[in-house]
Amino acid sequence: MTIKSRNKILLTYSMSGIADIIFLLLIFFMITSTLIAPNAIKVLLPKGTNQTMANAKTTVSITSDLNYYIETTPVLRDQLETELRKKLSISNDPVVTLHADKAVPYEHIFRVITIANRNKYTLLLASAPE
């Protein structure tokens, strides 16, 4: 008397498991790629060789038409210091990145530098790679 097994080995391969994993990876990369975008207005930055990577708490942008932005929110020039104080009041080590268009006169950049020095913020000047 021979014993027959009830389980038969299938020689076909199901791709549904791999398709599910690839679909989940695709969703993951799509979500994380949208979170990487910096909170700054796009300006034409001057070129520089030194690139410093730091965790900036906020960004200040000055466009070529001399509009000021904190991250993506427009701010009046006279209100810049008070808005930065509100934004960075809870931070222990406030770091601000300045994104200034290369056509911006130096006096506007110096105004942001003065505000950062007065409030003891660490200021990083953004530049484009050469």
Side-chain angles (χ1 to χ4, degrees), residues 40 43-56 58-62 68 80 94-102 104-117 121-129:
V43 293
L44 188 59
L45 296 172
K47 295 187 187 269
T49 56
N50 295 344
Q51 296 292 321
T52 303
M53 300 302 287
N55 272 344
T58 190
T59 60
V60 174
S61 301
I62 306 173
Y68 287 76
L80 182 64
V95 179
V96 178
T97 303
L98 176 60
H99 294 261
D101 194 278
K102 66 181 183 178
V104 172
Y106 186 71
E107 66 180 285
H108 296 278
I109 296 169
F110 189 72
R111 176 176 290 133
V112 178
I113 293 171
T114 304
I115 290 171
N117 285 338
Y121 301 150
T122 302
L123 184 69
L124 302 174
L125 296 175
S127 65

Side-chain angles (χ1 to χ4, degrees), residues 17-66:
I18 293 176
D20 290 343
I21 291 172
I22 291 173
F23 182 69
L24 288 173
L25 285 173
L26 179 67
I27 291 173
F28 172 76
F29 288 125
M30 286 174 51
I31 291 173
T32 56
S33 68
T34 58
L35 297 176
I36 294 174
N39 288 331
I41 301 297
K42 292 195 183 246
V43 293
L44 188 59
L45 296 172
K47 295 187 187 269
T49 56
N50 295 344
Q51 296 292 321
T52 303
M53 300 302 287
N55 272 344
K57 301 294 182 199
T58 190
T59 60
V60 174
S61 301
I62 306 173
T63 60
S64 60
D65 53 351
L66 303 179

Side-chain angles (χ1 to χ4, degrees), residues 38-41 59 69-74:
N39 288 331
I41 301 297
T59 60
Y69 294 87
I70 295 179
E71 293 177 359
T72 56
T73 308

